[in-house]
């Protein structure tokens, strides 16, 4: 639809004497458009109405307001859910790391306790096992050596260490030992 501006008509004082002639029909074309001719006053009025609509906030019906509130709540809930999922993933990763660390520490403690128990019973423990106990739990090593039973013919004990433990022990033994630990071991073996 097209709007064509028209100059304002002069005010009429008397009715027209003749009826206006009917407009002649133009030949119909496909895709013909309807046209409306508006005076300048009408165009100004329409422009004012459009400007006031743009300035005024759009008033929503109660149903539209409820739908908008529900959409906002849904958006907030989705953001919260996404945040919770991320936090849950982080906590799960941290928990797995902690569980792995605890498992390794417990395995190390279990091996140390087995070695210390064998020493306490007076059994002959492989030197690698003794070194492992010394490096990983010095107090238990010292206590086991101090309280061990002395036997004339001690049983030979199998190693409780894995290949990984032996490799770790070799790497640590190549590193220089702390002088304090060496002094403590020397004192306990002399006593």
């Amino acid at each position: 639809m097209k709007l064509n501006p028209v100059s304002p008509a002069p005010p009429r004082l008397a009715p027209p004497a003749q009826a206006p002639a009917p407009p002649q029909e133009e030949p119909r074309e496909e895709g013909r458009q309807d046209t409306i001719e508006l005076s300048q006053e009408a165009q100004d009025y329409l422009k004012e109405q459009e400007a006031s609509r743009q300035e005024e906030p759009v008033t929503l019906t109660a149903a539209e307001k409820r739908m908008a509130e529900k959409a906002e709540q849904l958006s907030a809930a989705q953001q919260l859910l996404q945040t919770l999922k991320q936090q849950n993933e982080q906590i799960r990763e941290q928990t797995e790391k902690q569980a792995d660390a605890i498992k390794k520490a417990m395995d190390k403690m279990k091996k140390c306790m087995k070695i210390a128990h064998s020493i306490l019973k007076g059994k002959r423990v492989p030197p690698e096992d003794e070194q492992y106990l010394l490096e990983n739990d010095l107090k238990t090593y010292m206590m086991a050596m101090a309280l061990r039973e002395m036997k004339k013919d001690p049983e030979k004990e199998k190693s409780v260490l894995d290949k990984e433990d032996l490799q770790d022990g070799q790497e640590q033994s190549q590193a220089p030992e702390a002088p304090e630990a060496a002094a403590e071991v020397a004192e306990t073996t002399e006593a």
Side-chain angles (χ1 to χ4, degrees):
M1 180 186 302
K2 280 201 280 184
L3 300 175
N4 295 329
V6 175
S7 59
R12 294 188 180 179
L13 299 175
Q18 258 183 6
Q24 295 180 355
E25 288 188 30
E26 296 177 12
R28 292 188 177 219
E29 298 175 15
E30 288 187 37
R32 186 184 109 192
Q33 294 182 351
D34 293 334
T35 60
I36 297 176
E37 294 182 7
L38 298 174
S39 67
Q40 187 64 37
E41 293 173 12
Q43 287 180 7
D44 291 341
Y45 177 76
L46 288 174
K47 287 179 184 176
E48 287 176 17
Q49 290 295 320
E50 184 66 29
S52 68
R53 282 189 204 138
Q54 290 176 355
E55 292 173 5
E56 294 177 6
V58 178
T59 56
L60 302 175
T61 64
E64 290 173 335
K65 287 180 183 178
R66 284 194 301 271
M67 291 296 285
E69 288 174 4
K70 290 205 182 249
E72 289 176 13
Q73 289 174 352
L74 179 63
S75 175
Q78 287 174 340
Q79 289 176 349
L80 179 63
L81 181 64
Q82 185 66 26
T83 304
L84 290 174
K85 282 181 180 179
Q86 290 173 352
Q87 289 176 351
N88 188 26
E89 182 67 24
Q90 290 173 350
I91 290 170
R92 186 185 61 78
E93 289 173 2
Q94 289 175 351
T95 304
E96 286 178 1
K97 288 178 184 177
Q98 289 174 348
D100 288 343
I102 290 172
K103 184 177 185 238
K104 287 179 183 177
M106 293 303 289
D107 286 343
K108 189 181 286 188
M109 185 184 295
K110 181 180 175 184
K111 289 175 184 176
C112 288
M113 289 297 128
K114 282 184 179 181
I115 295 169
H117 182 263
S118 296
I119 292 172
L120 280 170
K121 292 296 178 182
K123 297 179 181 177
R124 192 179 315 166
V125 178
E128 301 87 26
D129 287 14
E130 216 171 298
Q131 184 67 29
Y132 181 83
L133 180 61
L134 176 66
E135 291 172 357
N136 292 299
D137 195 353
L138 181 62
K139 289 182 180 179
T140 305
Y141 174 79
M142 292 178 359
M143 189 176 281
M145 294 302 278
L147 299 174
R148 71 178 169 197
E149 293 178 14
M150 296 303 227
K151 292 188 176 179
K152 291 183 182 180
D153 191 20
E155 296 176 32
K156 188 173 183 181
E157 188 71 21
K158 289 185 179 180
S159 178
V160 296
L161 302 178
D162 301 335
K163 290 180 182 179
E164 295 172 7
D165 296 327
L166 292 173
Q167 289 174 354
D168 292 342
Q170 288 175 357
E171 290 174 5
Q172 289 179 358
S173 65
Q174 290 175 356
E177 289 186 30
E180 298 169 6
E184 288 180 19
V185 171
E187 289 176 10
T188 37
T189 53
E190 290 176 4

